[in-house]
């Protein structure tokens, strides 16, 4: 009998880690660089699909076993057996999935943004990115050879060899949080630098930044590669967390959720964004757990819908009454301030 | 003195309007040159074309002997040709100091691969900060470095905009109305400072200005534009005596 | 042998005419208010449900359509007054408005779900009897078919007359062209925006009602149609009147006739159908960002076209 508080806490922290990576990456793109990535879900999904492909095709090879049909029940059983008995193959596969997802999502981010970043009409870029996410989802759900179409594919947790289910989820949660912390430290270092200044100058005035010698086409490409690669990481983490890669998880509302975290917590404030991610996780998990609890008592299935209404109203409220978010932006922190202060 | 900027038959059209209509001019290194003309005569458009923000439809432009009419703005900037804007275009979400630290060329930490490793660019950052600190006090912006650039006064914005162009080690500045909206006394002050900076940094200045009475005291040569064409050119005293120029200004 | 072709063409035209109505509303808000309104989807859904609910009172189609127009127009107007206008007054950027419209759409959609799910209204048809009024080959012609095309046609014609012949239409066009200039010349911009929202909502409502009468109403109808509608608008050049009409029919044809041909000749499965409008959007963007503008006549709501950045 698993402790409900323990599993709720593990689920909360796991989701918080994943949402943090997603929202920090959008903050890099939009908060600092001013690029409206309305297709965040496309790169998140790419990460999950890469995880699905790598886990279902590559893992048997790494374990040195002849692979079975990856989408058959036998194939699924084979994967489970490997992760239960072979920590090396399970973890190596996971690591490869992370690296490949970052690479492929990053490259995809660059490719998609390539034509769009040259268009002036602002919402066109938003539109193209949104559309890209939906094309990806529809194609992957319609084309079985990738992750078995809309049936999806099961991928077992890389810590399954630990045996005890609580220990598995706990170990995986720690892994997610460590990676999320790494991403947080990395992004903080990345933006408190001349690169961060460059991003903000692009966000504040593109024409001035161009005439001051900044190659903005290059910078946009760079920031979308980085943001998309990080979203790809989050996608892998999510796929292994849920144990199941399903194209229909990656609907446009996922993108919107990430926007809520960024706008709510504080645009161009990484700590604020973590706060936004925490609030969003609380709403997401809270309504989920409540819905399940109520359902077991023959209650209301519609509670899930309430989640979206709450999130939507929260977004409207913050846009209308506190546009800067909960925590406001701070100056780019570099040694320059110490120098100027001393003199 | 050698020639730093040369234009030959430059044309820029907006649909049916020929905003710049065959401009040919040449500017010598280290000089201060004025560009005057009635509103809508194509002065600002010409500056945009020279700096690469707008592309010329016809004609050729050379800067220090290099053809620049096909180059993107950031390449032209890196050759040392820097333009300021008529209305200051500051980075309003950034502090005064951060505004000054954006333009310097070749910043190691602007590469996202170097940016997270602070030791790689720390030394460069500190030397740039010293330079900005010096500039801040000379532009009367001392003590405002932590203030958001959106929160300083209009005159301070003008000065900051000028300081931003200087941070880039320019060879030549294109200044679009550096004294617009500034009190007459301060206008002279700005020109004095500009000339002092020219001496120090060995700058070439090309200035659009409406206040002829101020401009003519400081420039060595003047071009007059009218309806996209160069109407007249010469030393200030020659321009003042030119009847056609007087007619354009008085008549319309 | 080619019976499917006739049915396919008929379906293309029916859906194309509904897309056109939806797209014209979107074009109005895009032109006059400069907002790519993602909540347009939910206006369509509301229109569809108004048709369902009105059929409980009367099975008269014209009653359903008029009611859908009025109620949806009022909903659109309230959205403008409660959300968009206060946001614009505070100097919101385009992205902020897009986010707000997405949020508003989400709230409306899930409120509808919250109501429709427990009451059994998740996928319903209005209680309007469908009668076979004729046959073309083996293709059945239903009475409801005869409603949608003329309704769409009349509404498009009325909108065209309004924009080109009336004082209000002229004012709408000048607000769309240059809002500052319009203000200087003494046009009451607020009033013109109010009217545009009423019209945009009304058109979306009628389109939704027609959809429900032909097919069904569900909380997702608007959302599913929205990307096709955006494709029609982008194809039409964003704010061109005739371009949008052509765009609506082209998207309708591509999703039905072209899809049927692809399916029969090349075995492309119908699950790929949603890719078609996306492909149109991306293709237009890459090949001809102006859309159909310039290929057709010049009745425009606004003269703004997307251009390439010169940086």
């Amino acid at each position: 009998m698993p402790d409900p508080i323990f599993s709720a806490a593990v689920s909360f922290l796991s989701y918080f880690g994943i949402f943090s990576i997603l929202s920090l990456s959008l903050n890099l793109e939009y908060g600092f660089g001013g690029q409206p990535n309305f297709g965040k879900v496309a790169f998140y999904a790419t990460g999950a699909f890469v995880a699905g492909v790598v886990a279902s095709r590559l893992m048997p090879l790494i374990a040195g076993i002849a692979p079975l049909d990856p989408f058959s029940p036998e194939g699924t059983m084979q994967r489970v057996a490997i992760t239960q008995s072979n920590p090396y193959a399970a973890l190596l596969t996971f690591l490869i999935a992370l690296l490949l997802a970052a690479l492929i999502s990053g490259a995809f981010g660059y490719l998609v943004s390539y034509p769009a970043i040259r268009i002036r009409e602002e919402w066109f870029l938003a539109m193209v990115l949104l559309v890209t996410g939906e094309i990806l989802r529809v194609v992957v759900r319609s084309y079985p050879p990738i992750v078995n179409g809309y049936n999806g594919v099961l991928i077992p947790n890389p810590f399954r060899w630990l045996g005890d289910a609580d220990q598995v989820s706990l170990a995986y949660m720690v892994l997610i949080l460590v990676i999320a912390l790494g991403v947080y430290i990395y992004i903080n270092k990345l933006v408190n630098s001349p690169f961060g200044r460059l991003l903000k100058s692009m966000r504040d005035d593109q024409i001035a930044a161009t005439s001051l010698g900044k190659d903005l086409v290059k910078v946009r490409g760079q920031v979308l590669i980085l943001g998309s690669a990080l979203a790809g990481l989050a996608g892998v983490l999510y796929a292994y967390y849920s144990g199941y890669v399903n194209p229909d998880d990656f609907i446009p509302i996922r993108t919107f959720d990430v926007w809520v975290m960024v706008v709510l917590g504080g645009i161009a404030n990484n700590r604020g964004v973590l706060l936004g991610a925490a609030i969003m996780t609380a709403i997401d998990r809270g309504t989920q757990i409540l819905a399940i609890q109520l359902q077991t008592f023959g209650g209301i299935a519609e509670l899930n819908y309430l989640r979206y209404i709450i999130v939507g109203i929260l977004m409207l409220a913050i846009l209308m009454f506190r546009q800067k978010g909960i925590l406001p932006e701070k100056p780019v922190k570099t040694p320059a301030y110490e120098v100027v202060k001393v003199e | 003195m050698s020639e730093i900027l040369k234009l030959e038959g430059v044309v820029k059209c907006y649909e049916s309007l020929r905003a710049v209509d065959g401009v040919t001019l040449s500017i010598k290194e280290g000089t201060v040159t004025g560009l005057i003309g009635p509103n809508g005569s194509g002065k600002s458009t010409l500056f945009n074309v020279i700096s690469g923000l707008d592309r010329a439809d016809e004609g050729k432009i050379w800067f220090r002997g290099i053809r620049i009419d096909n180059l993107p703005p950031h390449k032209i900037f890196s050759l040392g040709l820097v333009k300021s804007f008529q209305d200051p275009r500051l980075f309003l979400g950034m502090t005064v100091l951060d505004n000054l630290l954006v333009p310097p060329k070749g910043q190691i930490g602007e590469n996202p691969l170097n940016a997270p490793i602070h030791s790689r660019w720390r030394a460069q950052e500190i030397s740039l900060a010293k330079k900005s600190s010096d500039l801040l006090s000379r532009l009367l912006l001392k003590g405002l470095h932590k203030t958001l650039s959106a929160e300083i006064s209009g005159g301070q914005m003008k000065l900051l905009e000028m300081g931003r162009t200087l941070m880039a080690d320019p060879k030549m500045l294109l200044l679009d109305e550096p004294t617009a909206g500034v009190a007459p006394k301060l206008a002279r002050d700005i020109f004095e400072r500009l000339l002092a900076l020219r001496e120090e940094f060995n700058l070439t200045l090309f200035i659009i200005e409406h206040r002829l009475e101020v401009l003519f005291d400081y420039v060595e040569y003047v071009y007059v534009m009218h309806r996209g064409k160069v109407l007249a050119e010469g030393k200030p005293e020659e321009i003042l005596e030119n009847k056609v120029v007087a007619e354009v200004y008085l008549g319309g | 042998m080619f019976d499917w072709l006739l049915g396919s063409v008929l379906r293309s035209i029916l859906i194309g005419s509904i897309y056109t109505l939806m797209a014209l509303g979107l074009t109005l808000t895009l032109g006059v208010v400069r907002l790519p309104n993602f909540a347009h989807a939910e206006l369509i859904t509301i229109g569809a449900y108004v048709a369902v609910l009105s059929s409980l009172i009367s099975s008269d189609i014209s009653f359903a359509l008029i009611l859908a127009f009025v109620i949806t127009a009022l909903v659109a107007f309230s959205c403008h007054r409660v959300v968009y206008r206060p946001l614009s007054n505070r100097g919101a950027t385009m992205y902020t408005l897009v986010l707000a419209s997405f949020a508003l759409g989400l709230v409306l959609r899930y409120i509808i779900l919250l109501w429709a799910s427990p009451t059994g209204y998740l996928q319903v048809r209005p209680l309007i009897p469908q009668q076979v009024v004729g046959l073309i080959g083996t293709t059945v012609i239903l009475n409801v078919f005869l409603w949608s095309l003329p309704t769409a046609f009349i509404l498009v014609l009325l909108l065209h007359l309004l924009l080109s012949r009336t004082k209000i239409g002229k004012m709408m066009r000048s607000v769309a062209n240059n809002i500052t200039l319009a203000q200087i010349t003494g046009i009451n911009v607020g009033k013109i925006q109010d009217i545009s929202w009423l019209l945009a909502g009304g058109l979306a409502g009628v389109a939704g009602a027609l959809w429900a009468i032909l097919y069904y109403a569900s909380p997702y109808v608007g959302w599913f149609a929205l990307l096709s509608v955006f494709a029609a608008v982008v194809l039409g050049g964003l704010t061109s009147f005739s371009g949008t009409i052509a765009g609506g029919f082209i998207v309708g044809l591509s999703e039905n006739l072209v899809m049927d041909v692809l399916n029969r000749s090349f075995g492309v499965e119908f699950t790929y159908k949603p890719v078609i409008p996306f492909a149109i959007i991306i293709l237009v963007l890459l090949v001809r960002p102006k859309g159909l503008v310039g290929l057709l006549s010049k009745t425009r709501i606004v003269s703004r076209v997307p251009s390439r950045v010169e940086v």
Side-chain angles (χ1 to χ4, degrees):
Chain A
M1 175 73 193
D3 181 356
I5 294 172
F6 170 81
S7 47
V10 168
S11 132
F12 176 87
L13 287 171
S14 302
Y15 270 96
F16 170 66
I18 294 166
F19 286 170
S20 297
I21 298 173
L22 274 176
S23 53
L24 285 168
S25 78
L26 179 64
N27 198 33
L28 180 69
E29 292 165 337
Y30 179 72
F32 290 92
Q35 301 307 303
N37 192 342
F38 281 93
K40 204 73 223 170
V41 73
F43 311 101
Y44 185 42
T46 304
F49 298 153
V50 168
V53 171
V54 169
S56 63
R57 315 298 211 294
L58 203 61
M59 195 163 61
L61 298 177
I62 290 173
I65 303 169
L68 301 167
D69 173 8
F71 306 136
S72 66
E74 295 78 26
T76 307
M77 289 312 294
Q78 185 185 44
R79 286 198 287 283
V80 173
I82 293 169
T83 43
Q84 267 167 349
S85 60
N86 190 341
Y88 162 77
L91 288 173
L92 185 64
T93 311
F94 175 75
L95 209 65
I96 291 173
L98 275 182
L99 287 175
L100 265 182
L103 278 175
I104 294 175
S105 299
F108 186 39
Y110 183 68
L111 197 74
V112 165
S113 62
Y114 190 79
I117 53 183
R118 285 164 177 75
I119 301 293
R120 183 176 301 201
E121 196 81 13
E122 282 184 332
W123 66 280
F124 248 54
L125 175 59
M127 189 81 212
V128 168
L129 285 161
L130 184 97
V131 161
T132 305
E134 275 294 88
I135 291 189
L136 182 70
R137 181 178 72 86
V138 171
V139 168
V140 172
R141 85 187 291 282
S142 311
Y143 185 69
I146 304 171
V147 288
N148 202 16
Y150 51 80
N151 293 316
V153 60
L154 285 162
I155 56 171
N157 194 297
F159 288 109
R160 200 142 180 154
W161 42 271
L162 284 172
D164 176 55
D166 280 354
Q167 275 188 27
V168 172
S169 57
L170 191 65
Y172 191 63
M173 177 204 84
V174 171
L175 182 71
I176 291 177
L177 289 178
V178 167
I179 293 176
L181 183 69
V183 169
Y184 174 72
I185 294 170
Y186 168 72
I187 289 195
N188 249 340
K189 292 226 166 217
L190 182 70
V191 296
N192 284 309
S193 75
F195 181 65
R197 264 193 320 250
L198 178 59
L199 288 181
K200 283 190 178 183
S201 73
M202 170 165 80
R203 174 198 69 184
D204 283 357
D205 192 328
Q206 300 193 25
I207 293 179
T210 309
S211 75
L212 288 173
K214 308 304 173 193
D215 183 356
L216 296 191
V217 172
K218 188 171 104 189
V219 181
R220 282 194 198 106
Q222 286 171 341
V223 76
L224 280 161
I225 289 174
L226 283 171
S228 304
L230 291 171
L233 289 186
V236 174
L237 293 176
Y238 174 73
Y240 273 98
Y241 173 79
S242 68
Y244 175 50
V245 180
N246 176 9
D248 290 334
D249 263 354
F250 302 101
I251 50 178
I253 291 175
R254 292 288 93 81
T255 301
F256 183 73
D257 287 347
V258 186
W259 274 89
V260 175
M261 299 174 215
V262 172
V263 174
L264 177 69
I267 292 163
N269 183 322
N270 288 328
R271 246 183 252 181
V273 162
L274 289 189
L275 182 65
I279 295 172
M280 190 68 200
T281 315
I283 296 171
D284 187 71
R285 291 297 88 200
T287 48
Q288 188 81 22
I289 291 164
L290 210 61
I292 293 167
Q293 294 292 323
L294 284 175
Q295 224 165 7
T296 44
F297 296 109
I300 323 146
E302 284 77 23
L303 204 83
N304 262 332
Y305 302 146
L306 213 53
R307 169 208 188 276
Y308 295 101
I309 297 173
I310 294 170
V311 170
I313 289 175
L314 200 61
M315 181 65 139
L316 285 174
I318 203 91
L319 288 177
M320 293 182 76
F321 303 115
R322 201 180 162 89
Q323 286 219 1
K324 289 188 171 168
I326 298 173
L327 297 181
E329 183 178 341
K330 287 190 180 139
V332 176
K333 202 175 148 207
T334 70
Y337 283 90
E338 290 152 37
V339 174
V340 175
K341 190 166 60 189
V342 171
E343 288 185 10
Chain B
M1 274 189 290
S2 63
E3 189 177 61
I4 189 165
L5 181 75
K6 189 173 143 192
L7 274 69
E8 212 176 85
V10 171
V11 175
K12 175 69 196 175
C13 303
Y14 291 112
E15 298 185 2
S16 60
L17 174 76
R18 290 172 83 86
V20 173
D21 193 0
V23 168
T24 298
L25 56 79
S26 124
I27 286 173
K28 293 208 162 49
E29 197 165 348
T31 56
V32 183
T33 310
L35 179 61
I36 64 170
N39 279 328
S41 57
K43 306 181 300 288
S44 289
T45 307
L46 185 66
F47 269 24
N48 281 341
V49 169
I50 297 172
S51 64
L53 285 174
D54 264 338
R55 206 162 282 299
D57 295 313
E58 287 170 36
K60 294 170 185 164
I61 306 172
W62 290 266
F63 181 65
R64 295 161 73 203
I66 300 166
R67 270 288 287 275
I68 58 167
D69 45 286
N70 285 321
L71 296 182
H74 63 270
K75 290 265 169 64
I76 294 174
F77 170 91
S78 65
L79 293 173
L81 180 56
V82 180
K83 175 181 133 61
S84 79
F85 291 91
Q86 189 175 342
D87 301 312
R89 300 192 71 133
L90 299 175
F91 304 120
L92 296 174
M94 302 169 73
T95 62
V96 168
L97 179 59
D98 282 346
N99 265 275
L100 286 179
L101 289 171
V102 167
K105 284 174 251 184
Q107 293 192 52
I108 300 162
E110 276 191 356
N111 182 332
L113 297 177
N114 294 330
I117 307 160
H118 290 194
S119 58
R120 285 196 185 162
W121 47 264
R122 199 184 151 79
Q124 191 189 32
E125 180 80 2
I126 287 171
S127 81
L128 288 175
K130 283 187 178 143
K131 194 174 165 187
S132 347
S133 177
D134 177 45
L135 209 54
L136 280 171
S137 46
R138 279 212 263 172
L139 295 171
L140 311 171
L141 294 168
K142 206 173 179 183
L144 289 171
H145 60 284
K146 275 189 171 171
T147 313
L148 277 186
S149 66
E151 290 163 2
I152 58 179
S153 75
Q156 289 169 331
M157 286 188 174
K158 280 261 166 203
L159 291 166
L160 180 57
E161 165 108 3
M162 211 184 294
R164 221 169 47 170
T165 56
L166 291 172
M167 282 299 288
D169 289 331
K171 299 265 187 310
M172 177 173 181
L173 288 183
L174 302 174
L175 299 166
D176 195 345
E177 296 202 38
T179 72
V182 167
K185 246 185 105 182
L186 187 58
R188 286 197 174 268
D189 205 42
I190 288 179
F191 267 94
E192 298 284 349
R193 276 168 198 281
L194 273 173
L195 289 197
L197 290 164
R198 171 183 75 138
E199 297 295 322
E200 190 176 338
F201 294 98
N202 191 25
L203 287 171
T204 309
L205 301 176
F206 193 16
I207 307 170
I208 297 179
E209 186 53 68
H210 273 298
R211 289 184 175 151
L212 303 191
E213 74 285 1
V214 181
L215 181 82
F216 280 20
D217 289 345
Y218 297 98
V219 295
E220 292 148 13
Y221 204 77
V222 177
Y223 283 92
V224 186
M225 275 183 83
H226 182 55
R227 294 194 178 146
K229 290 187 161 72
V230 174
L231 183 75
E233 61 176 287
K235 299 209 166 80
E237 53 273 22
E238 293 167 10
I239 297 297
L240 281 172
E241 285 162 13
N242 189 319
K243 291 215 173 68
V244 187
V245 174
E247 210 166 282
V248 164
Y249 264 89
L250 295 173
Chain C
M1 177 182 157
F2 282 103
D3 279 345
W4 65 269
L5 190 66
L6 196 66
S8 185
V9 170
L10 186 69
R11 200 155 23 84
S12 299
I13 293 171
L14 282 176
I15 291 179
S17 64
I18 295 177
Y19 280 169
T20 300
L21 285 182
M22 296 172 179
L24 282 174
L26 198 60
T27 301
L28 272 181
T29 42
L30 196 55
V32 178
V33 198
R34 291 185 172 70
L35 169 68
N37 180 21
F38 280 85
H40 199 70
E42 277 57 48
L43 298 177
I44 294 167
T45 308
I46 290 169
Y49 274 107
V50 170
V52 171
L53 295 178
S54 83
S55 73
L56 300 176
I57 306 165
S58 153
S59 65
D60 187 351
I61 295 182
S62 54
F63 174 68
L65 294 180
I66 291 167
L67 204 62
F69 187 96
V70 173
I71 289 179
T72 319
L74 289 175
V75 172
F77 177 75
S78 329
C79 291
H80 170 53
R81 283 300 185 89
V82 175
V83 178
Y84 301 132
R85 204 171 73 167
L87 269 176
S88 300
N89 288 347
R90 265 166 242 177
T93 62
M94 171 81 83
Y95 304 143
T96 308
L97 288 172
V98 168
L99 283 175
S101 78
F102 203 99
L104 191 59
L106 198 70
V107 171
L108 291 174
R109 192 180 335 149
Y110 281 90
I111 287 176
I112 295 170
L113 260 167
L114 207 57
W115 159 76
S117 174
T119 48
Y121 276 97
L122 274 184
Q123 184 160 337
V124 281
R125 299 180 62 99
L127 299 170
I128 291 169
Q130 296 199 340
Q131 292 146 4
V132 178
V133 290
L135 281 171
I136 304 179
T138 55
T139 304
V140 178
I141 306 294
L142 295 172
N143 59 336
V144 287
F145 290 9
L146 298 179
W147 268 95
S148 78
L149 210 53
T151 306
F153 184 75
I154 290 166
L155 281 174
V156 169
L157 194 70
L158 283 176
L159 188 65
H160 174 68
L161 290 176
L162 178 87
L163 283 173
S164 59
R165 299 287 158 81
T166 66
K167 210 176 151 202
I168 286 178
K170 277 180 195 139
M171 288 199 259
M172 285 169 79
R173 274 159 50 205
S174 39
V175 171
N177 270 319
N178 188 332
I179 196 159
T180 332
L181 196 66
Q183 265 162 341
I184 293 167
T185 53
I187 293 173
N188 184 343
V189 174
K191 197 178 105 191
I192 294 300
Q193 291 188 336
D194 286 347
I195 295 171
S196 306
W197 275 105
L198 286 168
L199 279 174
L203 289 172
V206 172
L210 285 173
W211 189 278
I213 291 164
L214 280 173
Y215 302 102
Y216 59 88
S218 98
Y220 296 105
V221 278
W223 179 249
F224 287 155
L226 185 70
L227 285 165
S228 304
V229 176
F230 262 118
V233 170
V234 170
L235 188 59
L238 299 188
T239 47
S240 144
F241 190 82
S242 49
T244 305
I245 297 171
F249 280 101
I250 291 173
V251 174
L253 275 170
S254 324
E255 286 183 7
N256 295 283
L257 184 61
V258 174
M259 186 66 227
D260 287 344
V261 170
L262 285 175
N263 177 258
R264 283 172 184 264
S265 313
F266 303 99
V268 177
E269 288 185 42
F270 282 104
T271 47
Y272 286 105
K273 194 172 114 175
V275 176
I276 290 176
F278 307 149
I280 291 176
I281 291 176
I282 304 253
L283 214 67
V284 170
L285 185 76
L286 288 180
V287 180
R288 195 182 160 83
K290 279 198 288 188
L292 298 169
V293 170
L295 299 177
L296 300 153
S297 83
K298 288 182 184 125
T299 318
R300 316 231 29 216
I301 295 174
V302 70
S303 64
R304 218 168 43 125
V305 276
S307 54
R308 302 234 163 209
V309 176
E310 284 142 15
V311 292

